[in-house]
């Protein structure tokens, strides 16, 4: 099963993606890209805001690679290995978050949860696009102004919350645990049955 994990699933790409993200974030720094807001005007978003999507792409790439015959005859259910690998990805993202910023780690957790839930209903490509669409939706519709005219965010735009927001962390962790249980179950895949 170890060979299957590294050769077929290629879970080694996720830590490589995280290392590249840390290096890229150090290079790009606080660079911004303009993003239109439907609430008025054009605002900027840090380039590093979009980097969690790369982790989601790497995870969905790994989950998309499979040999159905090997998975149906495996002694160890492959979906349990996948659950462990995705949980380890979030743990490694939190380690990278110490360097890049803890909002990165929270957003990786949130986007992976969203991706796993969309993957359960559709496929890996749609799951990846859902994460990017969610980030863009947060930027375009999730920004607001408080009574004093200061920029803030709406209640649902979790990706825009500051890294210290306990509520955003709890919602992200809860969604991730739900998605981990539902999104990687064996009964989801055609030809495979739950143990």
């Amino acid at each position: 099963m170890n060979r299957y994990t590294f050769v077929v699933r290629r879970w080694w790409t996720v830590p490589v993606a995280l290392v590249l993200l840390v290096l890229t974030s150090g290079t790009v720094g606080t660079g911004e890209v303009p993003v239109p807001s439907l609430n008025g005007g054009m605002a900027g978003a840090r380039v590093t805001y979009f980097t969690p999507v790369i982790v989601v792409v790497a995870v969905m790439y790994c989950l998309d690679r499979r040999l159905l015959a090997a998975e149906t005859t495996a002694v160890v259910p492959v979906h349990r290995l996948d659950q462990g690998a995705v949980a380890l990805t979030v743990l490694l993202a939190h380690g990278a978050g110490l360097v890049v910023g803890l909002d990165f780690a929270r957003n990786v957790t949130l986007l992976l949860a969203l991706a796993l839930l969309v993957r359960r209903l559709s496929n890996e490509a749609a799951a990846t696009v859902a994460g990017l669409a969610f980030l863009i939706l947060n930027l375009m519709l999730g920004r607001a102004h408080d009574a004093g005219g200061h920029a803030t965010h709406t209640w649902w735009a979790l990706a825009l919350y500051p890294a210290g927001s306990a509520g955003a962390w709890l919602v992200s962790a809860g969604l991730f645990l739900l998605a981990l249980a539902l999104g990687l179950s064996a009964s989801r895949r055609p030809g495979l049955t739950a143990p």
Side-chain angles (χ1 to χ4, degrees):
M1 254 315 128
N2 286 340
R3 281 183 97 180
Y4 188 83
T5 302
F6 288 101
V7 175
V8 176
R9 284 285 207 235
R10 295 187 181 173
W11 279 111
W12 55 266
T13 59
V14 174
V16 170
L18 284 167
V19 167
L20 288 174
L21 284 176
V22 169
L23 295 175
T24 303
S25 296
T27 304
V28 173
T30 59
E32 289 193 359
V33 293
V35 178
S37 174
L38 296 180
N39 295 334
M42 177 89 68
R46 289 180 308 161
V47 175
T48 54
Y49 173 78
F50 296 101
T51 55
V53 174
I54 297 171
V55 176
V56 174
V57 168
V59 169
M60 291 301 129
Y61 166 76
C62 295
L63 291 175
D64 189 36
R65 300 182 51 80
R66 59 179 154 254
L67 295 174
L68 193 58
E71 289 187 29
T72 55
T73 59
V75 175
V76 177
V78 175
H79 74 277
R80 294 222 173 112
L81 293 173
D82 291 340
Q83 285 176 330
V86 171
L88 183 61
T89 298
V90 168
L91 184 67
L92 291 174
H94 280 75
L98 295 174
V99 176
V100 178
L102 287 177
D103 54 341
F104 166 80
R106 186 208 50 229
N107 287 346
V108 166
T109 306
L110 180 65
L111 293 182
L112 271 177
L114 178 64
L116 291 174
L117 291 173
V118 169
R119 177 182 178 263
R120 180 165 178 84
L121 301 173
S122 186
N123 60 25
E124 286 79 7
T128 302
V129 171
L132 181 59
F134 180 74
L135 286 177
I136 292 172
L137 187 68
N138 274 247
L139 287 174
M140 293 180 74
L141 294 173
R143 294 178 179 177
H145 297 294
D146 61 10
H150 299 97
T152 185
H153 50 78
T154 57
W155 64 270
W156 59 268
L158 293 175
L160 298 178
Y161 276 61
S165 172
W169 280 98
L170 287 174
V171 170
S172 298
L175 281 174
F176 178 73
L177 292 175
L178 175 69
L180 197 59
L182 293 177
L184 290 174
S185 64
S187 59
R188 166 205 181 271
R189 297 194 184 100
L192 296 179
T193 56

